[in-house]
Amino acid sequence: MDIYLVYIGVAMATISLPGPAVLLTINNSIQKGLVKAISGILGVALGILLIALISATGLGVLLEQSVVAFTILKFVGAAYLVYLGLKMLRDKSEIKTSMNTTNTSTLKCFFEGFMVSTSNPKAIIFFISILPQFIDKTQDYSSQLFILAVTFSILVIIIHMLYAIFAVIAKSKLLPHNNKSLFNKISGSIFISFGIGLAASSR
C-alpha cells in the first residue's frame, strides 16, 4: 500500500505539470465550454491508458529500442501539435458566454485529446521507466499493471477537471471582453513550441 501511495504522488506530480494535454484542456474550457472540455479530457485519459498498457508490451519495447520507430512517431506527434497551434492562430472568432458557442463537436474534442496523448512517444518511454518500479515481482504482473494504468488515467481525469473548472471560473478575468484573439496567439504559439521541441528532441 505504501508503494502505491508513492505511485499516486508521482503520478499526480507528473500529470499536474503543464504540457500539451493540460494546455488543450484549458483551451477547450475557455473557448468551447466545460462539457466539450470534459470530452477532451476523456480522450486524453483513454490515450494515456492505452499508452500505459502498450508500454508493457512488445510494441512499447520496440518504440524504446528502435530509433526509426521512435523517430517516426515523434515527428507525427510534433506535426499534430504544430497543426493544433496553427489552427488556434488562425481562429479569429470571439468567445461567447453561452456554453454552446462553437461548431466543434464533443467527438472532435475527444479525438484531439486522444491524439495529443497517443502521438507523444515520450509517454511510452516514461511508463516503461516508471511502472516497473512500482510492480511487485512476487505478485501477478498483469493485474498490477492494469491497476497502475487505470489509476493514472483516473488521476488524469480528476486533475484535468480541476484545471478545466479553474479555467471556466477565471475566463471572465482572463478575457474580460470575450475576445480570444490574444489567448489564441498565446495558446497557438505554445503548441507550436511544444511541437518544435518534440521534433528537436533526441529522446
Side-chain angles (χ1 to χ4, degrees):
M1 179 59 70
D2 288 342
I3 196 169
Y4 181 67
L5 293 177
V6 172
Y7 172 76
I8 289 177
V10 171
M12 290 178 65
T14 302
I15 296 165
S16 299
L17 292 174
V22 169
L23 181 60
L24 182 66
T25 293
I26 294 174
N27 184 77
N28 283 342
S29 301
I30 292 176
Q31 299 194 41
K32 303 169 186 176
L34 188 58
V35 172
K36 291 180 180 178
I38 292 173
S39 179
I41 291 170
L42 294 177
V44 170
L46 178 60
I48 287 295
L49 177 62
L50 291 179
I51 287 177
L53 295 176
I54 287 174
S55 68
T57 67
L59 178 58
V61 175
L62 172 64
L63 288 173
E64 181 187 31
Q65 297 180 350
S66 172
V67 175
V68 175
F70 181 89
T71 301
I72 291 174
L73 186 54
K74 180 181 71 172
F75 280 111
V76 169
Y80 187 70
L81 291 177
V82 171
Y83 161 76
L84 287 179
L86 292 175
K87 181 180 175 183
M88 292 176 189
L89 289 177
R90 291 171 181 163
D91 189 353
K92 305 297 183 181
S93 59
E94 294 182 349
I95 294 177
K96 309 294 184 182
T97 54
S98 170
M99 297 298 282
N100 299 317
T101 62
T102 176
N103 292 327
T104 303
S105 67
T106 53
L107 182 60
K108 185 174 181 180
C109 290
F110 178 89
F111 177 76
E112 287 180 347
F114 181 81
M115 285 297 296
V116 165
S117 290
T118 57
S119 61
N120 185 358
K122 288 190 174 183
I124 292 179
I125 306 304
F126 169 80
F127 281 114
I128 289 176
S129 303
I130 293 297
L131 291 184
Q133 301 181 41
F134 297 95
I135 290 179
D136 186 349
K137 295 181 180 179
T138 64
Q139 304 296 324
D140 179 66
Y141 176 83
S142 299
S143 61
Q144 291 182 80
L145 173 65
F146 181 77
I147 291 172
L148 294 178
V150 170
T151 297
F152 200 96
S153 296
I154 291 173
L155 290 173
V156 165
I157 294 174
I158 294 172
I159 293 174
H160 278 247
M161 277 296 299
L162 293 175
Y163 271 115
I165 293 171
F166 172 79
V168 169
I169 293 174
K171 181 169 71 171
S172 61
K173 295 181 180 180
L174 293 173
L175 299 164
H177 301 296
N178 293 330
N179 186 344
K180 66 179 181 180
S181 178
L182 178 60
F183 182 79
N184 277 339
K185 290 179 181 178
I186 295 174
S187 298
S189 298
I190 294 175
F191 266 107
I192 291 172
S193 298
F194 279 137
I196 293 174
L198 177 60
S201 64
S202 57
R203 271 288 177 176

